[in-house]
Amino acid sequence: MENTREWDNSKKKCHYEVWKHPLRTEFGFVQAESTQAEQNNKGLELLRCHFGTTQCDVTAAPTPQDAGVLRFRAVFLCRGGPIVRGIVGVTSLSRFRLDGGRFPLERPFRRAPGHAGIGPPLLDLRRAVMAAPPPLVVLLLSVMAAGGGAAPVWDAAGYLLYCPCMGRFGNQAEHFLGALAFARALNRTLAVPPWIEYRHHRPPYTNLHVPYTEHFRLEPLLRYHRVLSLEDFMEKLAPVHWPPGKRVAYCFEAAAQRSADKSTCPMKDGNPFGPFWDQFQVNFDKSELFKGISFSSAYKDHWIQRFPPSEHPVLALPGAPAQFPVLEEHRPLHKYIVWSEEMVKKGEAYIHSLLVRPYVGIHLRIGSDWKNACNMLKDGTAGPHFMASPQCVGYDRSAAVPLTMDMCLPDLKEIKRALKLWVKKTEAKSVYIATDSEPYTTEIQQFFQGKIKVVSLQPEVPQIDLYILGQSDHFIGNCVSSFTAFVKRERDVHGKPSSFFGMDHPPRLRDEF
């Protein structure tokens, strides 16, 4: 860099460089650390920074204390402006430096008026820092642009990798929320894996690995914890920090019993495990086995002590470090799953061209495989907690309401009954049907005597269905389905009403948003 912006209090001078990059969304993290624990305990709940004319919102939370140093990590989201990389730091009480970027000297960072953060409640961070007592505060700033830009910086706190190898999209999404929480508990950056789509019934007649960012934005996840895409990790970090020859697999001892030598993690045994890692040309060189611990937050310290990042920088697991269905306390994390601009554009185009508001969205899970599963209720093999059913019967097994066949496999009579109720209550003009089987479009149109428009797309990309259902004026889902559960969580985030077949007024869950 030929120029950096630098402020020297004694010489009162500065100069700077503007990096020539196209306008785009910027995101990253800010880490602060100080031994002034009594001062910093109040936290960095809200900061505002300005990059040129670009305003960025920054949120922060404390991370585990280490050797008397209390650390904070903040995440900022900015729209537009240059890409900024480098170090923002306080090198002395009389000197304040910003490397790289486009920072107005007078207000390099701003925080809310009266906010209790580092130093007194001043808007000008430079003045606040000058007034703050020693020891020194250090801010590390790392930024990478969505969809490209500068290479990410290696995180010494370590990384978490896993294969989303259980079930279709709904199951993978539930596991993702648990994995996100697990990564934060261990304070490791999560390498967000691609979604696995099974296209064995149509071209290309194999698995597709769809990047997370094709359907959702990566940046909102940073408001909760550090993440990057697995694609970026493998392309930009793995060649140097996790090269062939140093790739260690981690698994339960019980899982290793499936291998020939009883001591190797079955990371690539069968489909989808093998194809998932093969897409990144990953082979594992050794295995680390463990037992007596689980992915529960109660074992957080056990994980950190057993696998410190200094010795185990990359934890690569054969499956998601999470439970299915998603734990009740992890449901609120869905607010960080935000649709990509392209998905919003496509979904809204379908809504505006095909539907008339108000509209009721319904999810019919009535395929032959589902019928076989729901028959387990009849023969008593399954109880109230069956797949994703805790979302409607409740998570407390002792207090769970009964799970009925109408809730698992509604017949046409129940479908009509529920639709009649909610179409009348919402004064709906149209109905949208998402299904993996027969949509009953003709029967429902006849039931409403042609007065209600009935639409079923059955798109190749099921996320289109999810988006349209999420935007409906009322949603009726399947209690047992994780596909429905995705929609229900999203609607809860935005305060939109939902019900289930066989349950018009589901109980409020403990974590209701």
Side-chain angles (χ1 to χ4, degrees):
M1 296 193 316
E2 60 183 54
N3 289 314
T4 61
R5 175 177 283 269
E6 183 173 300
W7 175 262
D8 188 316
N9 195 46
S10 60
K11 298 180 180 179
K12 304 246 185 329
K13 68 177 183 179
C14 71
H15 51 274
Y16 65 91
E17 173 194 72
V18 177
W19 292 7
K20 303 300 183 182
H21 281 276
L23 299 182
R24 65 196 306 162
T25 299
E26 311 297 338
F27 63 95
F29 69 86
V30 178
Q31 178 172 288
E33 61 182 52
S34 171
T35 54
Q36 294 291 318
E38 68 280 1
Q39 177 181 342
N40 293 332
N41 266 330
K42 298 177 181 178
L44 299 170
E45 294 177 357
L46 176 63
L47 295 171
R48 287 192 176 279
C49 57
H50 283 250
F51 298 156
T53 59
T54 303
Q55 182 167 297
C56 310
D57 286 332
V58 184
T59 57
T63 58
Q65 189 164 335
D66 178 30
V69 177
L70 189 67
R71 293 180 173 83
F72 294 88
R73 178 165 282 104
V75 173
F76 60 86
L77 295 176
C78 314
R79 288 196 175 275
I83 294 175
V84 182
R85 295 190 70 237
I87 296 176
V88 180
V90 180
T91 55
S92 75
L93 292 183
S94 62
R95 195 159 177 263
F96 178 69
R97 174 176 170 174
L98 296 170
D99 284 339
R102 192 183 195 179
F103 295 80
L105 183 64
E106 296 75 22
R107 293 188 300 181
F109 284 85
R110 297 186 63 194
R111 50 196 166 99
H115 169 69
I118 293 180
L122 300 175
L123 285 178
D124 187 340
L125 183 63
R126 177 170 56 85
R127 294 199 302 270
V129 171
M130 300 306 177
L136 306 178
V137 176
V138 180
L139 296 179
L140 303 177
L141 177 69
S142 174
V143 180
M144 60 182 177
V153 178
W154 178 256
D155 185 356
Y159 291 81
L160 176 66
L161 280 60
Y162 75 94
C163 173
C165 290
M166 196 277 278
R168 296 192 292 179
F169 176 81
N171 294 26
Q172 293 174 42
E174 302 221 356
H175 269 167
F176 173 70
L177 295 178
L180 186 61
F182 186 71
R184 178 173 175 173
L186 269 55
N187 194 30
R188 288 177 175 265
T189 293
L190 177 64
V192 178
W195 306 105
I196 300 178
E197 289 187 11
Y198 299 95
R199 292 285 189 90
H200 297 271
H201 59 292
R202 64 181 187 273
Y205 304 108
T206 187
N207 299 355
L208 285 183
H209 299 100
V210 181
Y212 180 89
T213 52
E214 187 162 319
H215 300 318
F216 306 100
R217 295 173 55 206
L218 201 62
E219 304 96 316
L221 297 173
L222 290 165
R223 290 195 292 246
Y224 177 74
H225 188 58
R226 306 184 311 280
V227 300
L228 83 167
S229 70
L230 182 54
E231 291 84 355
D232 272 355
F233 176 86
M234 292 305 305
E235 178 186 352
K236 301 173 182 177
L237 294 177
V240 173
H241 301 282
W242 199 55
K246 294 185 178 180
R247 293 175 175 174
V248 183
Y250 297 79
C251 69
F252 286 99
E253 285 187 6
Q257 295 304 304
R258 302 200 301 269
S259 64
D261 62 5
K262 310 295 184 183
S263 61
T264 300
C265 293
M267 299 292 285
K268 300 180 66 174
D269 286 3
N271 185 32
F273 301 92
F276 177 82
W277 294 110
D278 283 344
Q279 69 175 309
F280 298 109
Q281 292 83 50
V282 170
N283 290 303
F284 293 92
D285 304 295
K286 61 175 291 189
S287 295
E288 285 276 353
L289 310 184
F290 51 83
K291 66 177 180 178
I293 55 177
S294 75
F295 301 127
S296 166
S297 59
Y299 288 91
K300 176 187 72 172
D301 292 338
H302 294 77
W303 280 98
I304 295 172
Q305 293 168 11
R306 174 72 174 81
F307 301 113
S310 57
E311 300 174 22
H312 304 270
V314 179
L315 282 183
L317 302 171
Q323 294 187 34
F324 179 84
V326 64
L327 294 177
E328 190 172 15
E329 58 264 34
H330 294 160
R331 293 182 73 252
L333 300 185
H334 197 104
K335 65 184 175 183
Y336 302 109
I337 299 181
V338 179
W339 292 106
S340 67
E341 291 183 5
E342 186 63 25
M343 284 298 301
V344 172
K345 183 179 178 181
K346 290 179 181 178
E348 289 298 321
Y350 280 121
I351 291 172
H352 292 305
S353 63
L354 298 176
L355 295 164
V356 182
R357 285 195 182 273
Y359 74 91
V360 173
I362 68 173
H363 174 218
L364 300 182
R365 187 74 161 91
I366 52 178
S368 59
D369 63 327
W370 197 254
K371 291 178 182 177
N372 293 333
C374 291
N375 282 335
M376 296 172 67
L377 290 174
K378 287 183 177 179
D379 61 25
T381 307
H385 276 196
F386 184 41
M387 292 190 275
S389 69
Q391 67 176 322
C392 58
V393 303
Y395 275 81
D396 185 348
R397 289 181 179 272
S398 63
V401 302
L403 181 62
T404 67
M405 281 299 290
D406 278 344
M407 295 160 71
C408 188
L409 188 69
D411 56 19
L412 186 55
K413 180 181 178 182
E414 167 58 19
I415 294 168
K416 290 178 178 178
R417 184 205 64 79
L419 270 174
K420 181 180 179 180
L421 172 67
W422 293 108
V423 165
K424 181 179 180 180
K425 282 194 173 188
T426 60
E427 299 181 349
K429 301 295 188 295
S430 55
V431 170
Y432 183 79
I433 304 171
T435 183
D436 62 339
S437 186
E438 171 57 50
Y440 291 128
T441 304
T442 302
E443 292 85 347
I444 293 172
Q445 283 177 332
Q446 292 173 350
F447 177 68
F448 287 107
Q449 300 177 343
K451 297 177 182 178
I452 300 295
K453 185 176 184 180
V454 181
V455 177
S456 181
L457 279 176
Q458 295 188 291
E460 277 199 10
V461 178
Q463 286 75 18
I464 292 293
D465 273 342
L466 289 171
Y467 181 85
I468 297 174
L469 293 175
Q471 299 302 310
S472 62
D473 296 278
H474 186 84
F475 169 62
I476 312 172
N478 184 295
C479 166
V480 182
S481 167
S482 60
F483 193 86
T484 278
F486 185 97
V487 180
K488 178 66 164 57
R489 290 192 303 269
E490 181 186 6
R491 294 178 66 82
D492 288 344
V493 166
H494 299 291
K496 296 180 179 180
S498 304
S499 61
F500 300 97
F501 290 109
M503 182 180 281
D504 297 328
H505 303 286
R508 290 177 63 87
L509 297 177
R510 185 179 63 196
D511 65 3
E512 202 68 41
F513 306 97

